[in-house]
Amino acid sequence: MRGEHATYVCGAALGFLGDLIAADPRRGHPVAAFGRAAAAVERRLWRDHRGYGTAHAVLCAGGAAAGAALVQRAVRTTAPAPLRDGARIALTAATVWAVLGGTSLGREARAVGGALAAGDLDVARERLPHLCGRDPQALDGPQMARAVVESVAENTSDAVVGALVWGALGGVPGLVAFRAVNTLDAMVGHKSPRHRRFGWASARLDDLAGWPGSRLTAALTVLAGPDRRGALRAWRADGGAHPSPNAGPVEASFAGALGVRLGGTLAYGGRVEHRPVLNDGAPPVAVPDIERAVRLSRRVGALALVTTVAARLAAGAVRRTPSRALRPAAGAVTRRAVGALARGAHDGRGPGA
């Protein structure tokens, strides 16, 4: 049987390729099914209280992760030996495809960008909610272009890099747990009157789960961006100014890499927020910058796949190396012990003599 790390790498690569080719289906997506289940649990549990919200987050995210672990264990223990590696690879590939959203992210961003390029603001406003939660009626063309670039940046971390990080760390349960946490944050983690307290736990859990992926996204943006120095400078200067601990580094690095200005005033469901400007002094986002952001997102996603699978293989090699190194020494110790016992028996002494 192949090693667990090797089967994960094969499955992750196939799942990433599947997302590039097939993207997300319009209907019947597993994440949408999880969202419906989480909404049903919310209807039962909702109270304007953090404790009930914490129970909701633990039940939904923990249940999804536990279910994934059970499926993974079943595949590992019940599949016929000749088919076991293939079954594990198929399960990982299907899960990676289900949790990644990079291709759909680019598709929706380009749809809004195409409408803006054609001057059709009505179509752009109709498509924007597919990408982010901002109020499209309150935005003009340049503001929608900025919203698209910011959403591409943030979702590169949430929908691609973060999932790959947790997949490398936790396999199929890690992938499912991360997507469940991220979905819960999108559903109840915002500061609406209904979810200000109930969604607190989901929002904090998402901040914690998204931390490693957001930093890797920012670092890979520096490597893959057209302006590396600009990306690093903006990340250092403005990454901590954003109200989100994870969106800040990602959006700042994208702003610097693309040479545009992000941040400022925005509206969510009638609520206006005044956010710090990222990469101040750069020109505002223009419609062609949407395509540049999508291409940068795809490069970052590909680098994230390479980085995470390499880290997984390296971890497996490190884990195996000590045991291999100890085998000769252990064998020598065993031979000496057996020899001593044999000599003792020959001399008429037992091992305790």
Side-chain angles (χ1 to χ4, degrees), residues 55-73:
H56 176 257
V58 171
L59 181 61
C60 293
L70 289 174
V71 172
Q72 180 176 263
R73 180 178 177 82

Side-chain angles (χ1 to χ4, degrees), residues 10-23 93 96-97 100 103 298 305:
C10 292
L14 288 173
F16 189 90
L17 182 62
D19 179 67
L20 289 178
I21 295 173
V96 169
W97 167 81
L100 293 188
T103 300
R298 296 190 69 153
L305 174 67

Side-chain angles (χ1 to χ4, degrees), residues 172-197:
V172 169
L175 289 162
V176 172
F178 177 79
R179 176 54 58 226
V181 168
N182 193 248
T183 303
L184 289 175
D185 179 61
M187 294 176 65
V188 304
H190 42 82
K191 296 181 179 179
S192 66
R194 176 180 174 85
H195 294 126
R196 187 179 301 275
R197 293 185 181 88

Side-chain angles (χ1 to χ4, degrees), residues 111-127 144:
V112 178
L116 291 174
D120 195 337
L121 297 186
D122 290 336
V123 171
R125 291 190 177 101
E126 181 182 344
R127 295 302 297 263
M144 280 191 281

